[in-house]
Amino acid sequence: MKFALFATLLSCSFISCSFYERDIDYIEVHAIKYDHDLMSVEHSFEDVKFLNPGDIVNISDKYLVISDADSDGFIKVFKLPELEYLYSWGQQGRGPNEFLYIPLNEINTEDENILLYEIGTRSLRKYVVNDTTLIPVRELSLQYEGQTNSLTGITKIHEELYIAENGVDFEDNDSEFIALQPDNETPLFKFGNYPPTELDGYEKVFEFLKTTAASKNGSKTAA
């Protein structure tokens, strides 16, 4: 399997927020000019088999982590910059460091740590990544009262603020995102409006799929 690094930015929404005051500055940018040349390097993982890769993250320029639909090791860790394959980690199950549902697309980072969302228990699990394994640090709850759907598109803004896609189980489903605080089942706020559409429920959610990212200092997020 081959990967190429590339960047394409069609539209962004930037939010600078303090959830204590619930003040949000929201702007929509339809085109961003980028004058610099992008360099890409293609690497072939000939000795590593992938079933269905889901996410790829950089851990402090030390490790590249790729999630994969492999129940015997769904986290594959590579050493940067050589992209040397180190190990696979994480199994499906109910035991320690096992996951009921493999978190392919819900991976966040924090310095040299990785944050994985366990859908079955609705919890955030924090691990330190090293050359041989992932070491558990702590586990926090991330859910809201009355939640019936699974959180998707989870993005860490900072330690006390995460955003996720707003599910279809809210009475007011006009907002695209919901802001949550770990170990707090009361949503902090909702934001972002869907484009005009006659679709509703799951059809609307799936029609407007999103990818989110946050700045390292937690001041802005883009979707």
Side-chain angles (χ1 to χ4, degrees), residues 7-15 26-33 176-177 193 195 208-213 221-223:
T8 302
L9 189 56
L10 297 179
S11 64
C12 289
S13 299
F14 295 94
I15 297 96
Y26 179 87
I27 62 171
E28 186 171 343
V29 181
H30 291 285
I32 294 179
K33 185 177 181 180
E176 292 192 274
F177 298 98
N193 296 322
F208 300 103
L209 296 177
K210 295 165 284 291
T211 297
T212 56
T221 182

Side-chain angles (χ1 to χ4, degrees), residues 2 21 23 48 69 85 91 94 120 122 141 146 151 181-182 187 205 222:
K2 295 181 178 180
E21 300 176 358
D23 293 333
V48 183
Y85 172 67
Q91 295 183 337
R94 297 178 178 272
R122 296 178 177 175
S141 171
L151 292 179
Q181 185 179 20
V205 172

